[in-house]
Amino acid sequence: ETGVTQTPRHLVMGMTNKKSLKCEQHLGHNAMYWYKQSAKKPLELMFVYSLEERVENNSVPSRFSPECPNSSHLFLHLHTLQPEDSALYLCASSQDLLTGVGYTFGSGTRLTVV
Amino acid sequence: AQSVTQLDSQVPVFEEAPVELRCNYSSSVSVYLFWYVQYPNQGLQLLLKYLSGSTLVKGINGFEAEFNKSQTSFHLRKPSVHISDTAEYFCAVTPSGTYKYIFGTGTRLKVLA
């Protein structure tokens, strides 16, 4: 148990479906992140939230929509995805944005778009 | 802009042998440096970090890394590896005082019996 829990662990969805990824942390952290991990590519930062406010939207297509209802929960809403969106989606948290203590990552959601 | 290079995509090594995983970075400002490990079907776990001070940093599971400013390197080492160290290892850098981590492409360490 890493302290950051992601559900579901695996998701297969069609290009016309709508689904949501969930991330939950009870570490008392104030910053939460979504990353995309594709094979042979560096991790890509998608979204950053600090104290429930979005501080980064890293040129992510609008078919990905984040939501942070409180400091413990982060969602990634998905709709009309493309096959190239298949990847491992990782949620992470940190005490604050500007500390150097590093992230705590969840185990990820393996997304396959068919 | 910052960048991170992990030159070796795969490193095979026999059990109980030493290993070094290389990481080089480029940055015009001071940075924090990190190594993360990712076991199969899991997220990334922080191994160690360098923020300031002593250039030799010790982490979990017997790993250590040395920050070399002149060579802009932060190589990860372990004197004797175990089968359980088989995983992917990621080097990351962030400019001091920001949250924008730059990750390398990873090095897959395979420990052979």
Side-chain angles (χ1 to χ4, degrees):
Chain A
E1 181 55 58
T2 65
V4 176
T5 303
Q6 289 188 244
T7 53
R9 292 294 307 272
H10 301 273
L11 178 62
V12 179
M13 59 186 289
M15 289 190 284
T16 58
N17 291 157
K18 289 186 180 181
K19 296 285 184 183
S20 296
L21 311 185
K22 180 182 177 182
C23 175
E24 184 173 357
Q25 59 93 6
H26 295 289
L27 300 169
H29 289 175
N30 294 318
M32 296 186 78
Y33 313 79
W34 279 116
Y35 274 89
K36 176 183 179 182
Q37 186 179 26
S38 304
K40 307 300 182 189
K41 294 173 70 174
L43 271 72
E44 300 172 49
L45 179 62
M46 300 176 72
F47 300 105
V48 180
Y49 278 83
S50 175
L51 297 171
E52 301 150 47
E53 285 196 23
R54 192 191 307 180
V55 298
E56 179 87 21
N57 180 352
N58 217 17
S59 301
V60 179
S62 60
R63 56 186 184 267
F64 295 92
S65 173
E67 178 189 4
C68 187
N70 55 62
S71 59
S72 298
H73 293 87
L74 185 65
F75 294 88
L76 188 62
H77 303 301
L78 316 171
H79 66 96
T80 59
L81 294 190
Q82 305 298 312
E84 60 265 29
D85 296 323
S86 298
L88 181 67
Y89 288 85
L90 292 165
C91 174
S93 69
S94 64
Q95 184 62 55
D96 294 291
L97 271 188
L98 302 180
T99 58
V101 296
Y103 295 142
T104 301
F105 280 90
S107 297
T109 294
R110 174 71 61 187
L111 174 67
T112 303
V113 181
V114 296
Chain B
Q2 290 73 39
S3 67
V4 176
T5 302
Q6 293 182 248
L7 289 170
D8 305 305
S9 59
Q10 291 191 73
V11 173
V13 62
F14 285 104
E15 194 173 18
E16 298 183 10
V19 70
E20 179 180 82
L21 305 182
R22 296 180 293 169
C23 174
N24 289 88
Y25 71 93
S26 67
S27 177
S28 57
V29 299
S30 61
V31 295
Y32 297 153
L33 296 152
F34 303 81
W35 276 100
Y36 286 84
V37 59
Q38 185 176 31
Y39 299 103
N41 301 315
Q42 296 198 23
L44 281 69
Q45 179 183 0
L46 181 64
L47 266 182
L48 49 78
K49 61 181 184 283
Y50 172 80
L51 305 183
S52 66
S54 173
T55 57
L56 183 63
V57 179
K58 294 190 183 298
I60 62 172
N61 301 341
F63 283 93
E64 64 181 30
E66 185 155 20
F67 171 56
N68 188 318
K69 189 175 181 179
S70 62
Q71 296 187 7
T72 60
S73 68
F74 190 55
H75 300 332
L76 181 69
R77 301 186 185 100
K78 187 169 182 178
S80 175
V81 294
H82 303 289
I83 295 287
S84 59
D85 293 322
T86 295
E88 189 142 21
Y89 292 79
F90 293 90
C91 182
V93 60
T94 181
S96 306
T98 82
Y99 58 84
K100 298 202 177 198
Y101 285 65
I102 309 298
F103 284 86
T105 51
T107 296
R108 188 171 300 275
L109 174 64
K110 185 168 177 61
V111 181
L112 309 168

